[in-house]
Amino acid sequence: MGRGKFKGKPTGRRQFSTPDELIAGTSSRPRSFKQEEAEPVESEEESEEESGEESGEETEKRKGTESVIQIENPNLVKAKNLKAKDADASKTTELSRREREEIEKQRAHERYMRLQEQGKTEQAKKDLERLALIRQQRAEAAKKREEEKAAKEQKKAEGRK
């Protein structure tokens, strides 16, 4: 049945080797991947042992064609791994503008809160004035209550006599 212009979902069709192809060895696919991978590793280990005995300075493992071709590229910069003991503690990194502003903001807030506790800011002075006024009003109200209570007790005492 014709599909028209577009193909169905599975676009790549798999091609399987027939048992005859496998036996004949004409298959494009190897019999087992594990055997193929294991064989070169063994040969590499043997060659590394031999070459390691001959040249002790070449211990760095290279990728791809680097082991075959030696490249002298002056622009190639190797990443330097710094250890904690080698790191220079005296060097300070420059902070970004946002980090600097954030630190300055925190310090300003801490300074303001310290002055606030000491009562040196305008807001603290206003708060203290308000607090003194409220204490004075409460003291007057307490005094008035005491006087009313004393007057009430005096009336009771006169009423009993």
Side-chain angles (χ1 to χ4, degrees):
M1 187 171 198
R3 291 181 180 251
K5 186 176 180 182
F6 300 105
K7 292 183 178 180
K9 267 295 179 195
T11 55
R13 298 286 180 207
R14 294 184 180 172
Q15 295 179 349
F16 298 99
S17 319
T18 63
D20 298 331
E21 289 176 340
L22 287 174
I23 293 169
T26 57
S27 170
S28 61
R29 202 173 126 190
R31 288 190 180 183
S32 69
F33 292 105
K34 291 181 182 177
Q35 289 176 354
E36 200 172 78
E37 289 176 359
E39 290 172 8
V41 171
E42 292 172 8
S43 62
E44 286 177 12
E45 290 174 0
E46 292 171 4
S47 63
E48 284 179 16
E49 291 174 4
E50 293 170 4
S51 64
E53 294 170 0
E54 293 172 5
S55 61
E57 61 192 43
E58 192 66 35
T59 58
E60 191 176 310
K61 194 167 191 177
R62 298 195 171 191
K63 299 177 185 174
T65 59
E66 287 181 9
S67 59
V68 178
I69 304 170
Q70 292 182 357
I71 301 172
E72 293 292 326
N73 186 353
N75 297 326
L76 183 66
V77 178
K78 292 186 178 179
K80 293 182 181 178
N81 294 332
L82 287 178
K83 295 181 182 175
K85 63 180 180 181
D86 297 337
D88 194 6
S90 63
K91 284 185 181 178
T92 56
T93 58
E94 288 291 321
L95 297 174
S96 68
R97 179 185 55 83
R98 287 184 182 172
E99 291 172 341
R100 267 197 317 271
E101 288 176 356
E102 188 176 331
I103 290 171
E104 289 173 9
K105 187 177 177 182
Q106 288 175 352
R107 287 181 183 162
H109 181 70
E110 289 172 6
R111 192 178 323 112
Y112 179 78
M113 293 308 288
R114 235 182 283 121
L115 291 174
Q116 184 82 2
E117 288 174 6
Q118 295 171 1
K120 293 183 179 178
T121 61
E122 291 180 23
Q123 186 178 357
K125 289 176 184 175
K126 289 179 184 176
D127 289 343
L128 291 173
E129 288 175 12
R130 233 180 283 125
L131 186 61
L133 182 65
I134 290 171
R135 283 183 181 161
Q136 183 183 1
Q137 289 174 351
R138 286 181 182 169
E140 289 173 1
K143 189 176 182 182
K144 189 176 178 182
R145 269 187 261 122
E146 290 292 326
E147 288 175 2
E148 288 176 2
K149 199 176 190 181
K152 211 177 202 183
E153 286 179 14
Q154 197 175 15
K155 276 188 179 181
K156 279 187 180 179
E158 286 179 10
R160 288 182 188 167
K161 289 184 184 178

